[in-house]
Amino acid sequence: MKNIFEKWKRLINEDNDLLSKLDLDDEFKTYLEKHGIEGAIHNFSFAIPNRKAIDTIKKYSPIIEIGAGNGYWAKLLAQEGVDIHAYDAYTSSKHFSVQKGGPKKIKEEPDRTLFLCYPDLDSSMAYNCLVNYQKQLQNGKVLIIIGEPGLTGDDRFWDGIENLNLNEIHKVELPHFPSYWANLHVYKL
């Protein structure tokens, strides 16, 4: 019987060279093999990074990530030289030093690009971030989100993107776990 990592690899619906494209570190791969998809999501992220996503975010450094969870994406970005500050409702040092903070932190760090990674569907956090980030958007900053309407962020968040007339200027398709898909979107006024 093939190990769970091989089953996961097939489920992502990518080509045979997927693992090299994902740039997953050994810790992630080992954890996935031992604990399966749900365990990997809990310990790392709902969204699976790839080289193109990391390189896209890197262009907009410095970054402020709100809702950073355990800091897996922040860790990968920092390893690539991205200047990133990561915040969540709870502190974590599992992968990166995630500090306690939420949408109000955006106003304290106005020179940073906002990055949201898979914000909770039933939470107003993403919408509150958008409200706090409007001035930066008007001054030419971009919004980076990994998510999709109906799967991440509440309806007010996605309606807010539409109401602000934000234009998608870049999209990166991400590999995904079954039932947890989302792409990286870059929006600008």
Side-chain angles (χ1 to χ4, degrees), residues 20-41:
S20 65
K21 290 180 182 178
L22 290 180
D23 296 315
L24 296 177
D25 56 29
D26 290 336
E27 180 187 13
F28 186 107
K29 291 176 187 178
T30 301
Y31 200 91
L32 184 60
E33 287 176 332
K34 289 182 180 177
H35 302 284
I37 293 170
E38 292 299 324
I41 287 170

PDB file of all heavy atoms in Angstrom, residues 20-41:
ATOM      1  N   SER A  20       8.643  18.874  -6.445  1.00  0.00           N
ATOM      2  CA  SER A  20       9.721  19.843  -6.641  1.00  0.00           C
ATOM      3  C   SER A  20       9.162  21.246  -6.824  1.00  0.00           C
ATOM      4  O   SER A  20       9.789  22.231  -6.459  1.00  0.00           O
ATOM      5  CB  SER A  20      10.594  19.449  -7.829  1.00  0.00           C
ATOM      6  OG  SER A  20       9.842  19.500  -9.025  1.00  0.00           O
ATOM      7  N   LYS A  21       7.972  21.370  -7.362  1.00  0.00           N
ATOM      8  CA  LYS A  21       7.353  22.684  -7.541  1.00  0.00           C
ATOM      9  C   LYS A  21       6.845  23.256  -6.214  1.00  0.00           C
ATOM     10  O   LYS A  21       6.793  24.463  -6.048  1.00  0.00           O
ATOM     11  CB  LYS A  21       6.183  22.598  -8.519  1.00  0.00           C
ATOM     12  CG  LYS A  21       6.606  22.343  -9.937  1.00  0.00           C
ATOM     13  CD  LYS A  21       5.402  22.260 -10.831  1.00  0.00           C
ATOM     14  CE  LYS A  21       5.816  21.960 -12.246  1.00  0.00           C
ATOM     15  NZ  LYS A  21       4.666  21.824 -13.134  1.00  0.00           N
ATOM     16  N   LEU A  22       6.457  22.399  -5.297  1.00  0.00           N
ATOM     17  CA  LEU A  22       5.904  22.868  -4.035  1.00  0.00           C
ATOM     18  C   LEU A  22       6.952  23.462  -3.119  1.00  0.00           C
ATOM     19  O   LEU A  22       6.648  24.299  -2.287  1.00  0.00           O
ATOM     20  CB  LEU A  22       5.201  21.729  -3.288  1.00  0.00           C
ATOM     21  CG  LEU A  22       3.918  21.217  -3.888  1.00  0.00           C
ATOM     22  CD1 LEU A  22       3.369  20.099  -3.031  1.00  0.00           C
ATOM     23  CD2 LEU A  22       2.906  22.318  -4.043  1.00  0.00           C
ATOM     24  N   ASP A  23       8.173  23.028  -3.236  1.00  0.00           N
ATOM     25  CA  ASP A  23       9.234  23.498  -2.359  1.00  0.00           C
ATOM     26  C   ASP A  23       8.880  23.268  -0.892  1.00  0.00           C
ATOM     27  O   ASP A  23       9.190  24.088  -0.036  1.00  0.00           O
ATOM     28  CB  ASP A  23       9.538  24.988  -2.589  1.00  0.00           C
ATOM     29  CG  ASP A  23      10.067  25.238  -3.973  1.00  0.00           C
ATOM     30  OD1 ASP A  23      10.939  24.459  -4.401  1.00  0.00           O
ATOM     31  OD2 ASP A  23       9.609  26.186  -4.616  1.00  0.00           O
ATOM     32  N   LEU A  24       8.207  22.178  -0.610  1.00  0.00           N
ATOM     33  CA  LEU A  24       7.882  21.861   0.776  1.00  0.00           C
ATOM     34  C   LEU A  24       9.143  21.445   1.501  1.00  0.00           C
ATOM     35  O   LEU A  24       9.967  20.718   0.970  1.00  0.00           O
ATOM     36  CB  LEU A  24       6.869  20.721   0.849  1.00  0.00           C
ATOM     37  CG  LEU A  24       5.498  20.978   0.263  1.00  0.00           C
ATOM     38  CD1 LEU A  24       4.660  19.712   0.354  1.00  0.00           C
ATOM     39  CD2 LEU A  24       4.821  22.122   0.971  1.00  0.00           C
ATOM     40  N   ASP A  25       9.278  21.908   2.726  1.00  0.00           N
ATOM     41  CA  ASP A  25      10.454  21.492   3.479  1.00  0.00           C
ATOM     42  C   ASP A  25      10.252  20.070   4.000  1.00  0.00           C
ATOM     43  O   ASP A  25       9.154  19.528   3.996  1.00  0.00           O
ATOM     44  CB  ASP A  25      10.774  22.478   4.599  1.00  0.00           C
ATOM     45  CG  ASP A  25       9.629  22.703   5.563  1.00  0.00           C
ATOM     46  OD1 ASP A  25       8.807  21.784   5.756  1.00  0.00           O
ATOM     47  OD2 ASP A  25       9.567  23.791   6.135  1.00  0.00           O
ATOM     48  N   ASP A  26      11.345  19.441   4.419  1.00  0.00           N
ATOM     49  CA  ASP A  26      11.294  18.057   4.872  1.00  0.00           C
ATOM     50  C   ASP A  26      10.356  17.879   6.057  1.00  0.00           C
ATOM     51  O   ASP A  26       9.693  16.857   6.183  1.00  0.00           O
ATOM     52  CB  ASP A  26      12.697  17.564   5.233  1.00  0.00           C
ATOM     53  CG  ASP A  26      13.567  17.389   4.000  1.00  0.00           C
ATOM     54  OD1 ASP A  26      13.009  17.206   2.898  1.00  0.00           O
ATOM     55  OD2 ASP A  26      14.799  17.442   4.142  1.00  0.00           O
ATOM     56  N   GLU A  27      10.296  18.893   6.926  1.00  0.00           N
ATOM     57  CA  GLU A  27       9.421  18.816   8.095  1.00  0.00           C
ATOM     58  C   GLU A  27       7.960  18.645   7.661  1.00  0.00           C
ATOM     59  O   GLU A  27       7.234  17.821   8.196  1.00  0.00           O
ATOM     60  CB  GLU A  27       9.576  20.084   8.943  1.00  0.00           C
ATOM     61  CG  GLU A  27       8.708  20.095  10.169  1.00  0.00           C
ATOM     62  CD  GLU A  27       8.752  21.426  10.909  1.00  0.00           C
ATOM     63  OE1 GLU A  27       9.257  22.427  10.367  1.00  0.00           O
ATOM     64  OE2 GLU A  27       8.239  21.455  12.029  1.00  0.00           O
ATOM     65  N   PHE A  28       7.535  19.427   6.664  1.00  0.00           N
ATOM     66  CA  PHE A  28       6.161  19.335   6.165  1.00  0.00           C
ATOM     67  C   PHE A  28       5.910  17.952   5.563  1.00  0.00           C
ATOM     68  O   PHE A  28       4.911  17.298   5.851  1.00  0.00           O
ATOM     69  CB  PHE A  28       5.919  20.429   5.117  1.00  0.00           C
ATOM     70  CG  PHE A  28       4.489  20.528   4.646  1.00  0.00           C
ATOM     71  CD1 PHE A  28       3.699  21.580   5.053  1.00  0.00           C
ATOM     72  CD2 PHE A  28       3.939  19.590   3.793  1.00  0.00           C
ATOM     73  CE1 PHE A  28       2.379  21.691   4.617  1.00  0.00           C
ATOM     74  CE2 PHE A  28       2.638  19.694   3.355  1.00  0.00           C
ATOM     75  CZ  PHE A  28       1.857  20.749   3.766  1.00  0.00           C
ATOM     76  N   LYS A  29       6.823  17.498   4.713  1.00  0.00           N
ATOM     77  CA  LYS A  29       6.650  16.204   4.051  1.00  0.00           C
ATOM     78  C   LYS A  29       6.547  15.075   5.069  1.00  0.00           C
ATOM     79  O   LYS A  29       5.670  14.210   4.974  1.00  0.00           O
ATOM     80  CB  LYS A  29       7.814  15.946   3.103  1.00  0.00           C
ATOM     81  CG  LYS A  29       7.819  16.845   1.898  1.00  0.00           C
ATOM     82  CD  LYS A  29       9.056  16.590   1.070  1.00  0.00           C
ATOM     83  CE  LYS A  29       9.164  17.601  -0.049  1.00  0.00           C
ATOM     84  NZ  LYS A  29      10.386  17.423  -0.845  1.00  0.00           N
ATOM     85  N   THR A  30       7.428  15.077   6.045  1.00  0.00           N
ATOM     86  CA  THR A  30       7.426  14.040   7.075  1.00  0.00           C
ATOM     87  C   THR A  30       6.138  14.072   7.877  1.00  0.00           C
ATOM     88  O   THR A  30       5.521  13.033   8.144  1.00  0.00           O
ATOM     89  CB  THR A  30       8.642  14.216   8.010  1.00  0.00           C
ATOM     90  OG1 THR A  30       9.831  14.135   7.220  1.00  0.00           O
ATOM     91  CG2 THR A  30       8.667  13.155   9.092  1.00  0.00           C
ATOM     92  N   TYR A  31       5.704  15.263   8.245  1.00  0.00           N
ATOM     93  CA  TYR A  31       4.476  15.405   9.025  1.00  0.00           C
ATOM     94  C   TYR A  31       3.271  14.907   8.220  1.00  0.00           C
ATOM     95  O   TYR A  31       2.399  14.208   8.750  1.00  0.00           O
ATOM     96  CB  TYR A  31       4.275  16.865   9.433  1.00  0.00           C
ATOM     97  CG  TYR A  31       3.331  17.027  10.595  1.00  0.00           C
ATOM     98  CD1 TYR A  31       3.817  17.029  11.898  1.00  0.00           C
ATOM     99  CD2 TYR A  31       1.969  17.157  10.396  1.00  0.00           C
ATOM    100  CE1 TYR A  31       2.957  17.151  12.977  1.00  0.00           C
ATOM    101  CE2 TYR A  31       1.103  17.280  11.464  1.00  0.00           C
ATOM    102  CZ  TYR A  31       1.598  17.281  12.750  1.00  0.00           C
ATOM    103  OH  TYR A  31       0.746  17.406  13.802  1.00  0.00           O
ATOM    104  N   LEU A  32       3.229  15.239   6.945  1.00  0.00           N
ATOM    105  CA  LEU A  32       2.138  14.802   6.082  1.00  0.00           C
ATOM    106  C   LEU A  32       2.098  13.276   5.991  1.00  0.00           C
ATOM    107  O   LEU A  32       1.025  12.675   6.071  1.00  0.00           O
ATOM    108  CB  LEU A  32       2.291  15.429   4.695  1.00  0.00           C
ATOM    109  CG  LEU A  32       1.195  15.161   3.688  1.00  0.00           C
ATOM    110  CD1 LEU A  32      -0.146  15.674   4.190  1.00  0.00           C
ATOM    111  CD2 LEU A  32       1.535  15.815   2.363  1.00  0.00           C
ATOM    112  N   GLU A  33       3.257  12.659   5.841  1.00  0.00           N
ATOM    113  CA  GLU A  33       3.303  11.201   5.767  1.00  0.00           C
ATOM    114  C   GLU A  33       2.782  10.555   7.052  1.00  0.00           C
ATOM    115  O   GLU A  33       2.075   9.552   7.011  1.00  0.00           O
ATOM    116  CB  GLU A  33       4.736  10.736   5.506  1.00  0.00           C
ATOM    117  CG  GLU A  33       5.196  11.006   4.092  1.00  0.00           C
ATOM    118  CD  GLU A  33       6.653  10.630   3.870  1.00  0.00           C
ATOM    119  OE1 GLU A  33       7.442  10.666   4.845  1.00  0.00           O
ATOM    120  OE2 GLU A  33       6.987  10.300   2.737  1.00  0.00           O
ATOM    121  N   LYS A  34       3.131  11.131   8.191  1.00  0.00           N
ATOM    122  CA  LYS A  34       2.765  10.534   9.481  1.00  0.00           C
ATOM    123  C   LYS A  34       1.337  10.855   9.911  1.00  0.00           C
ATOM    124  O   LYS A  34       0.687  10.048  10.550  1.00  0.00           O
ATOM    125  CB  LYS A  34       3.726  11.015  10.569  1.00  0.00           C
ATOM    126  CG  LYS A  34       5.102  10.437  10.456  1.00  0.00           C
ATOM    127  CD  LYS A  34       5.976  10.918  11.588  1.00  0.00           C
ATOM    128  CE  LYS A  34       7.368  10.335  11.495  1.00  0.00           C
ATOM    129  NZ  LYS A  34       8.241  10.857  12.542  1.00  0.00           N
ATOM    130  N   HIS A  35       0.844  12.067   9.601  1.00  0.00           N
ATOM    131  CA  HIS A  35      -0.421  12.528  10.173  1.00  0.00           C
ATOM    132  C   HIS A  35      -1.528  12.793   9.155  1.00  0.00           C
ATOM    133  O   HIS A  35      -2.632  13.148   9.545  1.00  0.00           O
ATOM    134  CB  HIS A  35      -0.178  13.800  10.997  1.00  0.00           C
ATOM    135  CG  HIS A  35       0.809  13.602  12.092  1.00  0.00           C
ATOM    136  ND1 HIS A  35       0.506  12.949  13.257  1.00  0.00           N
ATOM    137  CD2 HIS A  35       2.120  13.941  12.183  1.00  0.00           C
ATOM    138  CE1 HIS A  35       1.571  12.900  14.034  1.00  0.00           C
ATOM    139  NE2 HIS A  35       2.567  13.495  13.404  1.00  0.00           N
ATOM    140  N   GLY A  36      -1.253  12.654   7.898  1.00  0.00           N
ATOM    141  CA  GLY A  36      -2.272  12.825   6.872  1.00  0.00           C
ATOM    142  C   GLY A  36      -2.617  14.277   6.591  1.00  0.00           C
ATOM    143  O   GLY A  36      -2.018  15.213   7.141  1.00  0.00           O
ATOM    144  N   ILE A  37      -3.582  14.453   5.739  1.00  0.00           N
ATOM    145  CA  ILE A  37      -3.958  15.782   5.263  1.00  0.00           C
ATOM    146  C   ILE A  37      -4.454  16.675   6.394  1.00  0.00           C
ATOM    147  O   ILE A  37      -4.004  17.811   6.539  1.00  0.00           O
ATOM    148  CB  ILE A  37      -5.018  15.673   4.149  1.00  0.00           C
ATOM    149  CG1 ILE A  37      -4.397  15.026   2.904  1.00  0.00           C
ATOM    150  CG2 ILE A  37      -5.598  17.034   3.806  1.00  0.00           C
ATOM    151  CD1 ILE A  37      -5.401  14.645   1.845  1.00  0.00           C
ATOM    152  N   GLU A  38      -5.396  16.200   7.199  1.00  0.00           N
ATOM    153  CA  GLU A  38      -5.940  17.042   8.270  1.00  0.00           C
ATOM    154  C   GLU A  38      -4.852  17.455   9.255  1.00  0.00           C
ATOM    155  O   GLU A  38      -4.815  18.593   9.726  1.00  0.00           O
ATOM    156  CB  GLU A  38      -7.098  16.342   8.987  1.00  0.00           C
ATOM    157  CG  GLU A  38      -8.329  16.165   8.126  1.00  0.00           C
ATOM    158  CD  GLU A  38      -8.930  17.465   7.641  1.00  0.00           C
ATOM    159  OE1 GLU A  38      -8.924  18.467   8.379  1.00  0.00           O
ATOM    160  OE2 GLU A  38      -9.422  17.492   6.499  1.00  0.00           O
ATOM    161  N   GLY A  39      -3.951  16.549   9.567  1.00  0.00           N
ATOM    162  CA  GLY A  39      -2.852  16.880  10.456  1.00  0.00           C
ATOM    163  C   GLY A  39      -1.929  17.924   9.854  1.00  0.00           C
ATOM    164  O   GLY A  39      -1.487  18.848  10.534  1.00  0.00           O
ATOM    165  N   ALA A  40      -1.653  17.799   8.556  1.00  0.00           N
ATOM    166  CA  ALA A  40      -0.789  18.765   7.881  1.00  0.00           C
ATOM    167  C   ALA A  40      -1.447  20.142   7.817  1.00  0.00           C
ATOM    168  O   ALA A  40      -0.784  21.159   8.028  1.00  0.00           O
ATOM    169  CB  ALA A  40      -0.445  18.276   6.480  1.00  0.00           C
ATOM    170  N   ILE A  41      -2.738  20.167   7.584  1.00  0.00           N
ATOM    171  CA  ILE A  41      -3.460  21.441   7.555  1.00  0.00           C
ATOM    172  C   ILE A  41      -3.364  22.111   8.929  1.00  0.00           C
ATOM    173  O   ILE A  41      -3.074  23.294   9.029  1.00  0.00           O
ATOM    174  CB  ILE A  41      -4.928  21.230   7.143  1.00  0.00           C
ATOM    175  CG1 ILE A  41      -5.007  20.923   5.654  1.00  0.00           C
ATOM    176  CG2 ILE A  41      -5.786  22.452   7.488  1.00  0.00           C
ATOM    177  CD1 ILE A  41      -6.382  20.468   5.193  1.00  0.00           C
TER     178      ILE A  41
END
